[in-house]
Amino acid sequence: MWALPALGAALLASFNPILYKRLLTQASPIVVVWSVLGLALPLLTLSTLASTPTWPGVDGVFLLATTGSAMLNALAHLASARSLQSTDASLVAPLLTFSPAFTVLLSALFLGETPGIRGLLGVGLVLLGAYWLNHGPGDRGRVPFQALALKPGVGLVLLAGLMWAITPVFEKLAIQHTFPTSSRFTALVVTGLIVILLTPFALRHVLQGGSPDLNSLIHRREWLLATSIAGIAPAFGYTAMSLGPVGYVTTLFRLSAVFTVIWSAWLLREPGFRQRLPASLLMVTGAVLIAV
């Protein structure tokens, strides 16, 4: 039941690195992230109203959880976007697949969701596939993580992955503390808080001479596509988190890396597709073990 919306979110999110990579040639990371999420708010509001005609009740846990999620999400979005400026999208996206291992551990500690053997095996295969995707011929003779560390942007994307390993725990807690339960309302609140947190910094950038960045973005087809995805994908993602174990759900989210590798070779002409394809298939196998 939860696997389908999780896969839907993964498929939509797989286009983000491609779109952001192109947008970042025209604007700074903070302007791109802020403008995309800001324009997505009306879509999220309409989606929330369609599923929840009246706003649900919330409590203090909800407020703390959404605030924590928004703060970490804002930093993760910026770190991921900045890493895309210096690193191939087909390398950035797979590195984010390391985060489910942390999420499974955190959800077991704080949510009481104990993973089964098959689920843990699936997570392990996804992580192994992610490592394989980043271990190319040029890395021979080096310690594996040393080889990764030598690539630009790796530190930032690993930081983003770690933060995105924590945010699902906050988001699941927030969903559980809406009355009646509303995953889309939670998605709307978290996204709104991210935009609020980024607004002072984005406006300062624009006022200090970055306004051409914003003007150039609004005329780009990629910007409209990115905002549409940002307004639709959270509805799938938060629904999946409300229905399934958060550790497994977020692992399926990381399947977006497989699609991103394909889109990167097709749309951006990035090298390494043939070497990364077997690793992508390994990740799919792991995701199937998690979902069944």
Side-chain angles (χ1 to χ4, degrees):
M1 187 68 178
W2 55 267
L4 287 178
L7 288 173
L11 180 60
L12 288 171
S14 68
F15 291 99
N16 280 335
I18 308 300
L19 298 172
Y20 274 61
K21 185 78 174 176
R22 291 184 171 179
L23 292 174
L24 287 165
T25 63
Q26 302 290 323
S28 64
I30 187 137
V31 172
V32 171
V33 173
W34 173 69
S35 61
V36 166
L37 295 181
L39 190 63
L41 285 176
L43 284 174
L44 280 171
T45 301
L46 291 174
S47 175
T48 301
L49 291 174
S51 63
T52 311
T54 58
W55 296 125
V58 299
D59 59 13
V61 174
F62 174 87
L63 297 176
L64 289 174
T66 51
T67 300
S69 173
M71 293 175 65
L72 292 177
N73 263 301
L75 293 173
H77 277 293
L78 292 177
S80 177
R82 193 170 293 276
S83 69
L84 281 168
Q85 287 185 311
S86 58
T87 308
D88 286 349
S90 56
L91 289 177
V92 169
L95 277 173
L96 293 173
T97 57
F98 283 97
S99 62
F102 296 107
T103 305
V104 168
L105 175 62
L106 291 171
S107 61
L109 290 174
F110 296 105
L111 299 176
E113 296 176 352
T114 305
I117 295 178
R118 185 168 57 187
L120 287 174
L121 176 61
V123 171
L125 290 178
V126 170
L127 297 177
L128 179 61
Y131 168 76
W132 191 0
L133 277 166
N134 291 276
H135 193 60
D139 296 331
R140 291 172 183 171
R142 298 195 190 114
V143 176
F145 289 102
Q146 180 186 14
L148 287 178
L150 292 175
K151 297 175 182 176
V154 165
L156 285 171
V157 73
L158 288 177
L159 178 63
L162 178 59
M163 291 179 181
W164 274 324
I166 300 171
T167 55
V169 177
F170 283 118
E171 290 154 5
K172 178 100 180 206
L173 280 171
I175 293 170
Q176 292 173 343
H177 286 265
T178 53
F179 315 99
T181 301
S182 177
S183 57
R184 295 189 184 185
F185 177 75
T186 305
L188 174 62
V189 171
V190 171
T191 304
L193 288 174
I194 296 172
V195 173
I196 291 172
L197 289 171
L198 293 178
T199 294
F201 304 100
L203 288 180
R204 184 175 64 179
H205 179 86
V206 171
L207 293 175
Q208 289 178 347
S211 56
D213 291 1
L214 189 58
N215 292 334
S216 63
L217 283 181
I218 62 177
H219 299 293
R220 293 291 297 270
R221 177 178 57 186
E222 291 90 348
W223 186 67
L224 292 175
L225 289 173
T227 55
S228 298
I229 291 173
I232 297 171
F236 288 97
Y238 280 69
T239 297
M241 280 191 287
S242 69
L243 297 174
V246 68
Y248 295 171
V249 170
T250 53
T251 301
L252 283 190
F253 288 167
R254 299 284 78 81
L255 267 182
S256 63
V258 179
F259 301 122
T260 300
V261 169
I262 298 172
W263 311 147
S264 297
W266 178 31
L267 299 174
L268 299 180
R269 307 299 181 189
E270 291 182 354
F273 175 72
R274 291 185 179 180
Q275 181 266 327
R276 294 165 186 162
L277 181 59
S280 301
L281 295 175
L282 183 64
M283 293 175 69
V284 171
T285 303
V288 169
L289 287 175
I290 294 167
V292 296

